[in-house]
Amino acid sequence: MAIKRNESMAKGLHRALLQQHPEDDSKCSPRPQDLIRLYDIILQLTLEDQEESCGIAPASWFRGRQSLPERDRPLKILVFEAYRCFFIAQSYALVKKWSEALVLHDSILKYADEVNSDAGTFKNSLKDLPDMQELITEVWSEKCSLQAAAILASG
C-alpha cells in the first residue's frame, strides 16, 4: 500500500516538474531531489518486500542495497532505479555538472535495455509501472541538451 501511495505521489510530482517553468524558483515547486527521495523510499520498500517474499531477512537499505542477486532483481526494481537515476541526473544538470549527468543518462539507458529485454517474459509486471518508453524519450532529449550545454560551457 505504501509503495502504491509513493508511486502515485512520484507521478504527480513528475508531472508538476515537467510543467514547471525554469524561472519558477518558489519554495513550493517540486525539485528533482523530492523525487529522488520518493524513489529511494519506493526502492527500499520494494527490496524489503522482495526479500521477505524470497525468505531473505531484510537488510538495511544503506548497508546492502544489492542484497538480492542481480539476476533475481525484478523489473519493478530496475524501473524504479532508472527513474531515480533520471532525477539524480536532473539534479546534476541544475548545478551544471554535465559529465555526471551524462554518465547517469547512460546508466538509465542500460536499465531501460535490461527492462526491455525482459519485458516479453514479464509483460504483466510492466503494466502497473511507470512507462519506460516515455523515460527513454526524456533521457535522449535531456542527453542532447546536456551535450550541447557542455560544449557551450567549454567554449
Side-chain angles (χ1 to χ4, degrees):
M1 185 93 103
I3 294 172
K4 290 288 184 199
R5 184 196 70 211
N6 286 328
E7 281 182 64
S8 176
M9 286 174 30
K11 284 179 189 175
L13 279 175
H14 188 182
R15 264 187 257 114
L17 190 64
L18 289 174
Q19 295 171 353
Q20 181 178 329
H21 298 293
E23 62 275 353
D24 186 16
D25 287 337
S26 69
K27 295 280 183 200
C28 298
S29 60
R31 303 168 309 167
Q33 294 88 334
D34 300 332
L35 283 148
I36 294 167
R37 181 67 186 131
L38 268 177
Y39 279 107
D40 275 340
I41 293 168
I42 291 169
L43 280 165
Q44 178 181 6
L45 293 171
T46 305
L47 281 171
E48 288 174 359
D49 186 45
Q50 180 70 22
E51 288 172 341
E52 287 172 8
S53 68
C54 291
I56 301 171
S60 170
W61 172 246
F62 291 104
R63 258 188 309 153
R65 196 154 181 210
Q66 298 293 334
S67 55
L68 286 174
E70 196 157 319
R71 69 181 184 288
D72 293 337
R73 287 174 38 199
L75 289 179
K76 185 184 291 192
I77 292 173
L78 293 172
V79 171
F80 293 144
E81 280 284 354
Y83 270 86
R84 181 178 171 275
C85 279
F86 178 74
F87 294 112
I88 293 172
Q90 281 194 328
S91 293
Y92 278 124
L94 286 174
V95 293
K96 298 178 179 19
K97 292 189 174 186
W98 317 119
S99 59
E100 290 88 342
L102 287 168
V103 168
L104 284 168
H105 280 95
D106 289 337
S107 296
I108 296 164
L109 294 173
K110 286 179 187 172
Y111 282 127
D113 285 343
E114 197 171 335
V115 168
N116 288 334
S117 68
D118 292 343
T121 314
F122 303 103
K123 202 62 163 174
N124 289 339
S125 301
L126 287 175
K127 69 180 179 184
D128 297 329
L129 295 174
D131 186 17
M132 284 302 287
Q133 268 325 112
E134 184 181 309
L135 180 64
I136 292 169
T137 303
E138 284 184 63
V139 166
W140 279 109
S141 171
E142 284 274 324
K143 196 171 178 178
C144 291
S145 297
L146 289 173
Q147 288 171 335
I151 290 169
L152 289 174
S154 68

